[in-house]
Amino acid sequence: MSMSLGSKLQLEPGSWMEAIYDVYIGIVVGGRHSAFLVSRGAYNLFGHPILALFGIQRAIGQEEAATNTEGLKVVAVGYGRTGTYSLTLALEELGFPTLHTQHLYENEEIINMWTNDVFLPSIKTGEIDLGRPNLQIIAKKFQATADLPMALYFEQVMEEFPDCKFVLTERENSETWFRSWSVLTQSITTPTQTGGMFFSKVKQYSHYLRWLYSVVNQDEEFLTSSFPFPEQNKEMAIMSYEAHNARVRQVIPSDRLLEYNVKQGWEPLCNFLEIESCPDTPFPKTNSARSVQVQSISAQLVPLVVSLFVVFTLFAKGFQMATGKPVVGWARCKTLELLRNMNRALNGEKVIWTNGSPPPTPRRKRRIS
């Protein structure tokens, strides 16, 4: 299940149906992310060692053989929260396998490259450093990318993939972009920090956020500060956003750059990419700010619910083995007893507590005549 689900629905902006859809898709996607990470962690922790005993060495998440031999063809160079996920779905529909940052954790070799070659070196030195990622690793599997961090490396992409085209996704204005960016950072930072204590892939995302926030805010404090992170600096973030867009326009030739708002739909994108058969279906629309907030909550609740279920199941089994009684039946009996005694106490009667069995019926003394 992915955010492509329902992305073609045409809902009236601000309507109840749009709100319901955002909540629904947020629950589904957040749950999917958590389920994926939990299942992968459980497999690598328990399943893989068992299979290794039988000579099966491949761990879940290990990359398949490279399938793309054409290199990167399209790179979206807009900052996050500019419609990058909607563009990702559109590029996929046009035939370009596309990597969005939300799915980095599904690509072991790629996220390890970013972590080891870019994020951690910058964090260890405490200095903002873009480094030089190995883009060939990405190009082995994908023809297109969207979202940060790849959006920052357009000059390196131009060197290594001279035929690549670029799409600069933008919002209506910088204030609109920052509001959406602020919602994103507030929604994902705490879950990422918490999840990083349990899952290695989430820990890599935590390193990514430290590095990313330092770049966007031009503040090295994010690289070394303890949790919680400093607040986003609105002035510096907007300055970074505008300077990035200006640099993109300055460096990339106009015939290789499309300045684009996803609200423009298919036509500008198809014309730019020279797609003859442009889709006549609605342009994808997904990953709203409200949906991101729900995703964050859902991503935290799924592991919690699963953990509580496992703990309760183990407790119930242990309780039944120790007492010979099912825990639900015992709890029901105690609840009924509590309600009976509360009623007696309210009526001024004597309260009798038992150990789970009915109180003994008092015997009347026989009168001796």
Side-chain angles (χ1 to χ4, degrees), residues 201-353:
K201 290 294 167 283
V202 182
K203 183 67 173 178
Q204 290 177 307
Y205 263 100
S206 177
H207 295 323
Y208 166 56
L209 293 186
R210 280 188 178 276
W211 176 87
L212 178 64
Y213 294 169
S214 72
V215 172
V216 172
N217 293 274
Q218 288 298 295
D219 185 354
E220 293 178 343
E221 184 181 355
F222 284 95
L223 295 170
T224 56
S225 66
S226 57
F227 181 75
F229 290 157
E231 293 185 2
Q232 298 292 307
N233 185 318
K234 179 179 179 180
E235 181 180 355
M236 293 303 297
I238 288 179
M239 187 183 302
S240 170
Y241 170 76
E242 294 177 344
H244 169 80
N245 290 354
R247 179 65 177 169
V248 166
R249 297 185 187 101
Q250 177 186 5
V251 171
I252 301 177
S254 59
D255 62 329
R256 295 173 61 189
L257 176 65
L258 172 66
E259 296 188 42
Y260 183 64
N261 187 310
V262 291
K263 293 181 179 180
Q264 294 175 272
W266 287 111
E267 187 175 355
L269 186 63
C270 290
N271 291 340
F272 176 67
L273 298 177
E274 301 177 352
I275 304 295
E276 294 182 1
S277 301
C278 196
D280 55 7
T281 55
F283 193 86
K285 180 184 177 183
T286 190
N287 209 26
S288 67
R290 178 165 46 210
S291 177
V292 168
Q293 290 175 305
V294 177
Q295 285 178 46
S296 171
I297 297 171
S298 175
Q300 297 175 79
L301 286 180
V302 168
L304 177 61
V305 170
V306 171
S307 300
L308 290 176
F309 176 77
V310 171
V311 170
F312 176 77
T313 301
L314 294 176
F315 170 77
K317 290 293 184 182
F319 183 89
Q320 187 168 6
M321 291 175 62
T323 65
K325 303 175 182 178
V327 67
V328 175
W330 176 86
R332 180 175 177 275
C333 179
K334 285 297 182 182
T335 300
L336 292 175
E337 180 185 358
L338 175 63
L339 293 175
R340 284 196 301 266
N341 285 330
M342 288 177 62
N343 186 54
R344 288 171 181 162
L346 291 174
N347 293 329
E349 301 177 13
K350 183 178 180 181
V351 175
I352 301 175
W353 297 99

Side-chain angles (χ1 to χ4, degrees), residues 41-51:
Y43 179 89
N44 285 334
L45 186 62
F46 302 109
H48 179 59
I50 294 174
L51 292 178

Side-chain angles (χ1 to χ4, degrees), residues 108 129 154 281 337 367:
E108 188 93 9
D129 185 4
F154 54 91
T281 55
E337 180 185 358
R367 184 178 296 176

Side-chain angles (χ1 to χ4, degrees), residues 56-73:
I56 304 174
Q57 297 296 327
R58 187 178 184 275
I60 188 171
Q62 184 174 327
E63 302 299 316
E64 302 289 346
T67 57
N68 179 39
T69 59
E70 302 181 43
L72 290 176
K73 291 185 174 182

